[in-house]
Amino acid sequence: MTTATPRVETILEPELDVELDRVWRSRPGFIGWLTTTDHKSIAKRYVATAFIFFLLAGLEAATMRAQLSRPENGILGPDTYNQFFTMHGTTMMFLFAVPVMIGVGLYLVPLMVGARNVAFPRANAMGYWVYLIGGVLIYGGFFVNSGPDAGWFAYVPLSGPAFSPGKRVDIWAQMITFTEIAALIAAVVQITTIFKMRAPGMSLNRVPIMVWTTLVVAFMIMFAMPAVATASLFLAMDRLISTHFFNPAEGGDALLWQHLFWFFGHPEVYIMFLPGTGIISSLLPAFTRRPVFGYPALVLSVIATGFIAFGLWVHHMFATPLPQLGQSFFTAASALVAIPNGIQIFCWIATIWSGRPIFRTPLLFTIGSIIIFVIGGMTGIMIASVPFDSQVHDTYFIVAHFHYVILGGVVFPLFAGFYYWWPKVTGRLLSETAGKWNFWLMFIGVNTTFFPMHQLGMEGMPRRVYTYLEGTGWGDLNLVASIGAVIIFSSVVVFLANVAWSLRRGRVAGANPWGAESLEWATSSPPQSYNFRNTPVVAGRAPVWESGGELPVMTGLARDRQQVLLTTVLDAEPDSRHDHPGHTIWPFVVAVTIGIFFIVLIFTPWGMPIGTVLGFIAYARYVWPKKRHDPSVIELPRSVPPAEVPR
Amino acid sequence: MNRERAVADVSGLPTVVFGPRNLVWWGTTGFAVIEGFSLGLCAVTYVYLRKNYSVWPPEGTKMPSLLLPTINMAIMLASLPLAMWTKKRAERLELGASRIGLILSAIVGLVVFGLRIAEFTSLNTQWNSNAYSSIIWTILGFHGTLILIDVYDTIGITLISFLRMESKWFPEIADNATYWMFTVLVWFPLYLLVYFGPRWL
Amino acid sequence: MIRFGKMSSLLVLTALLSIAATGCKREERRFREVPPAADQSTDIVQSDLQPGPSIVATATQHPYDQNAYAISSGKRLYVQMNCAGCHGLAGGGSIGPPLMDDKWIYGSDPSNIFASIVEGRPNGMPAWKGKLSNDQIWQLVAYVRDLSGLHRKDVRNSRGDNMAAVQDEQNRNRQTPRSSFEPPGSVTTP
Amino acid sequence: MMLLQAPRFTQQSMLDPAGTKAGSIHDFWHFLIITSTVVTAIVFLTLFVALARRRRTADPEAPGEQRSLTRWVGASVAATLVIIVTFLFLDFRLGRALAIPTQRTPLRVNVIGHQWWWEFQYPDSATPGNWISTANELHIPVGRPVILRMSAQDVIHSFWVPNLAGKKDLIPGHETETWIEADSAGIYRGQCAEFCGLQHAKMAMLVIAEPERQFEQWALAARGQALAPADSVARAGQQVFLTGGCSVCHAIGGTMAGGTVGPNLTHFGSRLTIAAASLPNTRGNLGGWIVDPQRVKPGSYMPPNALEPDQLQALLAYLEGLK
C-alpha cells in the first residue's frame, strides 16, 4: 500500500462512527456493567466507589470529632473508638486516596495521549473488582463489630496474635492484599499505556504533566506496594499459622514491621500527592490562558519527588531506638524533599503571575490547595528535625500536619479536577455558585478544624485517644476542631447537591467548555466509546490550541474489531497495531475467585488450594481465545514502514 | 473539533511484533519486576532477622541439607538454554519447533515444581519453630508460587499453540520463555541465601 | 442474562446475616458486665455405673463461649495467676494434670470447670473463691476449654509472644473430652 | 502530704519548658515558627499579587517575560535551599546539645511499660536487694540528669513528658535509653504517646521534681517497708486486702501480698493520683475505682471487687495509711 498523498479535504464519514461504536460500545444494562472493559466506565466506577468510601470515612471522622468535642465524652467507648479511628485512617488511605487518583488517571491518560483504550483492558477491569471486594470485605467486617482496631499502621505486637484476638486484624491484612493487587495492576496498565500507546508525534517532551505524574506514580506503586504486601503477608502468617516474624521471644522484631510498613507508607502519601500536582499543572493553563510555566522544571521535580520519597521512611520512626547517624540522614532527606515541591509551587505562582487568571471554581480550589499545602509543607520541614519531632511525634501536631498536606495536596486538587473534568465526563457543567459555596465552606472548615490541632499537639495531646481528662485543658480547642468538622461536613453536602443538580439540569458543555489545550478536549463530551474517530497526531505540548480548528489524524485502524495503534517509546512513531479482545465477563469472575482465595484463607488454610484451583479455571476461560477469525494463521503479513509524519 | 485532516494511514503496520515493541512484553516484565522486588524484600528481611541472633541458624535448628535444592537449581539452570531456544524459534515463527520447545518447557516446569515441594523437607525445620524457619519457608513458598504460575502459563500456551494457534501467539511464547528465565535467574541468589546463608552469614 | 430472582437474593441475605451473627459474637468485648456464678455444678461422674435412672447433665450456658477476647484474657490470667506453674505453660501438665489432652477428671462441662476453679480440688488445686472475680473465672474456664480445642477454630487463641514451646491452640486438633477413670492421687505414668 | 483537691500540675505543654532538653528544643522552635511564618507570608503575598494584578503585555510567552520569571523562580528555589541548609545546621547542633551532661552523676531509673500503667524501679547499686518499685509517679531530683532504661512487657508504649524532654518508645525485645532533667521543682504530667490498646488514652504519669534533699527523704522512706496498720479498722482493712483478691495482683512490702501483676502499693497512701494518674487520690475516687474500675477505665485488667460496705471502708482506711 503506497503512502497516500495526505488528503487535504476534511474527512467526515458518519458511517465510521456507527461501525466503531458497534465494536467498542459495552453491552447495555447490568450485564454490560459486569463485562465492560472500556477504561472510561471502569475509571468512573473507581472514582464513584472511592468517593463513597470518602463519605463513609467522613462520617467516621464526624463521629470521632463528636466524641472528642468534650472531655470524658460518652458517645464512643474505647473499643468502638479504636475501630472508628482505624477505619477512618484505613479507608482514607487505602480505599479513597490511591484508588480515586488511579481512577482519575485511568480516565484521563488514554484521552490525553490520544489512545482508544488502556493497554490491558481486561486486567484493568479485574483490578477494579478486586479493589471493590477489598472495600466490601473490610466494611462488612466493620458493620459486624469486626472492624480493625489496631490503627491504620497496625504496629506489632499490638496487632499481633497475642494482643489482637479474633479476626479483626486478619480482615484488615487481607484488605491490604486486595487494594495492593488493584493498585499494582493499574500501575502496570498505566506504564504500558503511557509508553506504548501515545498519539504519533507525542514525544516524551510533549507529554502532558498529568500523564507524567501518573507515570511516576505508577513506578512508585510498583516499588512501594510490595513492601506493604510482604508486611501484611508476614502479619497474616504470624496470626494464622504462627510464624515468628514479629515475635521478639523467637528472634522476630517489632521494628521489622515498622520498617516494611513505612517503606511503603511514605511513598504512599506521595502516590496520593503527585497526581494532585498533576491535576493543578493540567488545569492552570485553561484558567490563566497560557501554557504552564517551566514544563521541564515541573517534570523533573515530579521525577525527583518520586525518587526521594523512597529515602524518607525512617522519619516516622524517630522515637524508636535507631542509631543517631541514620536519623540525621533521614532528617536531611526529609528536608530536601521540600525542594521539588517548592519548585512546583513557584512554577504555579509564576504561571498565575504571567497569565490572566479566570476566577472559576477549579482555580479557587487550586489557590486553596496551594495555600493549605504550603502551611502543611512548613510543618513538614519542622518535624524533619529529630529533636523537635521527639516532642511532637504521635501527637495532634502530626495530625494537623498530615491533614494540611493531604487536604492541600490531594483533596483540594481533586475537587478542582472534579469541577474541571466533570463537563468532559458527563457533558454538563457543575454550578459555579454552588462551587464557590463548596470551596469557601471547605476552606474555612479545614482551617477551623486542623489549625487548633497544632496547639493541641504541642500541649501534649497524643494521637488515637478516645477521650481526655478534664484537667488537661484541651477541651476548648477540641470543641473548635469539632465545629470545624461540621463545616467540612456541610461543604461536602453542598458538593453532593451540586453533583445531583448538575446531572439533570447542569448547563450543557460542548467539547471544550474551558477552552483548554490538551487532547481530551479534542473529542466530544462525554467522549464516544472509542474516544477518537481517528488517531490524532500531535505536534506540540498544546495540541488543541496549536491545531486551530482542524485536527491532524491518522486513519487506517480496523473497524470490525477493537484495534489500537502502538507507537515507539521515545518519539511515539507509529510502530504496530494490536487487537484488544473486547468486552468479557471473565475479569469479574477471576476477581471473585481471588476474593474467595483470600477471604477463605482468613478462616482456614484450605482457602489456598480451593482458591488456586478456582482461580486457574477462571483464568483459563479468561485467556482462552474464542474463535479463529484471522485466516492467515501462520505466515506473517508483510510489514509496511509507517507513513511519513509531519514534524 | 469535528474537522479532521488525514495525514497518514497506519493500516499497513504489522500486528505481530516481538520484545518491547509488543504490549504483552510490558505486562510480563512489569509483574516480573514486582515479584522480583517482593522477593528482594524477603531477602532483606532474612538478613534483618539474622542480626537478632548471635548464632545462625538459631540453636536447636539443623542446617538445611543441600542435595535436593542443588539438583533443583541445576535443572533450572539447565533449562535456560531450552528457554532461549524456544524464544528464538518463536521469534522466527517456526510453529513446529516452538511447540516442541513448549512441551519440553512444560515438562521441565512440572519437574521443578515437584522438586520444589520436596525441597521443603530439606529445610529441616518447621515454619513455626522460629523467625529463621519462618522466613526461609516464606521465601521458598513465595518463589514456589512463581514457578507454579509459570508452569500453568506454559501449559496454557502449549494447549493454545495446538488448538487455537494464530500468528499473534508467537510473541506470547517468547514472553513465556523470558518469564521462565526470570524465574530461574531470580532464584539463584535466593538459593545461595537460603541454603548457604546459614553456613556463611 | 442474569436475573436475580426473589429466592436467590433472599438466600444470599440470610447467608450474610448468619456470617454476621457468628462474627459479632466472636468479636464482642464486654467490659462492665459481671456474669453470675455457675448455677449448680453437676455431680462429678467417677464411672459409667449409675445408681437409679441415668441423669443427663444439663450443660450450663457459658457466658464467654466462642468469644475470642475472653479466651485471650483467660490466657493472660492463666500466666499471671501462675496456673502454668502446675499445669504447664500451654496446659501440658507437670505437678497438676495436663489440660490440653482429652482426659477430664472432674468433667469438661463449663460449670464443672468453674466449680474446680472456685472450690479447688484435692491434691493441691487451690480454691480461688474470693480471689478472682466471676468474669475472670469464666475467662479462665473459656481458656481451659480452648486448650483442648473445644472452641471453633476461628475463635481460638493463636500463638503468644513467647517461646514457641508447643503447637498453639488454633492449629491443634480438637480433643473430644472423655472422663478419665484414674481415681485421684494415683501416679499417672506419662 | 495529704492533698485534698486535685494535684496542681503545671499545664502540660512543650511551649512551657521546665527541663534542659525541652528548653533547648523550645528555643529551636522559635527559629522554626519565625522562619516558617516569614516564608509563608512571602509566598502568600506573591500569590495574591499574582492573582490581583491586571497583566498588560499580550503575549505571556514573550522571551523577556519568560527570562524574568525563570530568574525569579530560580532565586526562590535558591532561597529555599539556603533556609533548609540553615535548618539542617541548627538541627544537628541541637542534636549534639541534647547529649547527656557529664558533670553530675545521673540517677538511674528503670521504666517498664505495662498495658495501661507505668512501673518505675530505682535500682540501688549499693545493696542490690534494696530496690524501690513504684508506679505512675516518678520522683526525680531537680538539676540532676536521670537516665531512664526502658522496656515494655506487652506492646509498644512511649514515655513522654512534654515539659521536660522528647519522647522515646518502649519496644518489647528492645532496651531503649533516654535521659530527662528538671530545672525547676514541680509536678509535670505526661502521657503514653504510642497507641497501645483500649486504655491508651488514660495511661498517664506524673514526674514529681523535688529539690535534692526532699528527693533523698522520699527515697529513704520509699525504700522502707509498708507502715503497719495504725488502728483496728486499718488492721481489718489489711485482712481484707490479704485474704481477698487484692494480694493476688498487688504487692505491699513487708506483708504477705506479693502479686506482681498490678502496681506495687507499698507507699500507696503518699501518691497524688490513682489509676495511672487519671484520678486524684481521694477516698471517694479510690472507693469507686476499687469497686468498679471498668466504669473509670473500660477494658482495664483490674476486675470489679464486690466488697461489703464495712470491708470497703476498712480497706480504704488501710490503703490510705500506707504512707
Side-chain angles (χ1 to χ4, degrees), chain C residues 24-112:
Chain C
C24 303
K25 195 151 173 15
R26 173 185 65 242
E27 299 295 344
E28 260 173 344
R29 262 85 162 150
R30 300 199 295 261
F31 305 131
R32 301 224 34 228
E33 168 217 85
V34 181
D39 36 30
Q40 37 81 22
S41 61
T42 54
D43 305 339
I44 292 121
V45 174
Q46 281 302 306
S47 75
D48 277 348
L49 305 178
Q50 276 301 338
S54 70
I55 50 163
V56 175
T58 58
T60 53
Q61 179 44 14
H62 171 16
Y64 291 126
D65 199 16
Q66 313 293 4
N67 180 302
Y69 181 71
I71 296 171
S72 113
S73 311
K75 177 170 188 167
R76 174 174 47 78
L77 286 167
Y78 184 84
V79 172
Q80 286 174 343
M81 297 307 145
N82 196 19
C83 314
C86 302
H87 289 293
L89 183 60
S94 60
I95 310 163
L99 301 174
M100 58 195 286
D101 63 359
D102 56 2
K103 291 205 288 298
W104 294 83
I105 302 171
Y106 298 102
S108 70
D109 180 69
S111 57
N112 289 36

Side-chain angles (χ1 to χ4, degrees), chain A residues 141-438:
Chain A
F142 181 53
F143 292 137
V144 292
N145 192 15
S146 303
D149 59 355
W152 84 278
F153 48 90
Y155 274 0
V156 182
L158 177 63
S159 66
F163 295 95
S164 278
K167 290 299 171 191
R168 292 179 168 185
V169 175
D170 295 312
I171 292 173
W172 177 82
Q174 294 302 12
M175 181 280 300
I176 297 270
T177 322
F178 285 114
T179 46
E180 165 259 322
I181 291 173
L184 283 171
I185 289 173
V188 172
V189 160
Q190 289 287 31
I191 289 172
T192 318
T193 312
I194 294 168
F195 275 148
K196 288 305 293 175
M197 293 172 65
R198 297 201 305 278
M202 186 186 268
S203 51
L204 282 183
N205 59 0
R206 293 180 183 154
V207 166
I209 293 184
M210 181 67 191
V211 176
W212 268 111
T213 48
T214 315
L215 182 68
V216 170
V217 159
F219 275 105
M220 286 172 74
I221 287 176
M222 278 179 66
F223 290 100
M225 288 297 181
V228 77
T230 345
S232 65
L233 172 76
F234 291 163
L235 179 63
M237 283 165 65
D238 260 26
R239 289 177 57 86
L240 299 176
I241 52 173
S242 57
T243 49
H244 295 279
F245 288 108
F246 307 119
N247 175 4
E250 280 290 350
D253 192 344
L255 284 179
L256 173 63
W257 167 269
Q258 294 189 19
H259 279 297
L260 281 175
F261 184 82
W262 289 117
F263 183 80
F264 145 81
H266 202 78
E268 148 105 346
V269 298
Y270 283 102
I271 289 169
M272 298 193 287
F273 164 63
L274 283 183
T277 62
I279 291 174
I280 291 178
S281 303
S282 306
L283 62 85
L284 262 183
F287 294 94
T288 53
R289 307 317 305 160
R290 57 147 296 169
V292 76
F293 171 80
Y295 172 89
L298 283 171
V299 169
L300 288 177
S301 56
V302 165
I303 295 170
T305 313
F307 279 103
I308 302 176
F310 280 92
L312 304 181
W313 82 88
V314 170
H315 66 220
H316 295 275
M317 302 160 59
F318 277 155
T320 58
L322 289 177
Q324 186 54 27
L325 176 67
Q327 289 180 342
S328 19
F329 164 77
F330 286 97
T331 302
S334 308
L336 284 180
V337 84
I339 303 288
N341 298 342
I343 292 172
Q344 284 183 316
I345 289 173
F346 298 143
C347 287
W348 292 335
I349 294 180
T351 313
I352 297 173
W353 180 275
S354 66
R356 287 196 308 281
I358 304 164
F359 290 94
R360 305 284 292 272
T361 318
L363 188 66
L364 283 182
F365 270 108
T366 308
I367 298 160
S369 116
I370 293 176
I371 291 173
I372 292 175
F373 182 76
V374 163
I375 299 173
M378 287 301 145
T379 50
I381 297 178
M382 291 183 197
I383 49 183
S385 131
V386 174
F388 183 74
D389 185 61
S390 75
Q391 279 283 30
V392 291
H393 175 66
D394 266 344
T395 69
Y396 264 75
F397 188 92
I398 301 286
V399 175
H401 158 68
F402 70 70
H403 275 95
Y404 263 91
V405 174
I406 291 179
L407 283 161
V410 179
V411 176
F412 268 67
L414 187 68
F415 274 95
F418 223 90
Y419 276 86
Y420 180 60
W421 279 298
W422 177 264
K424 176 51 66 178
V425 176
T426 62
R428 288 176 177 273
L429 282 158
L430 282 162
S431 114
E432 276 303 314
T433 41
K436 289 188 168 48
W437 271 100
N438 181 5

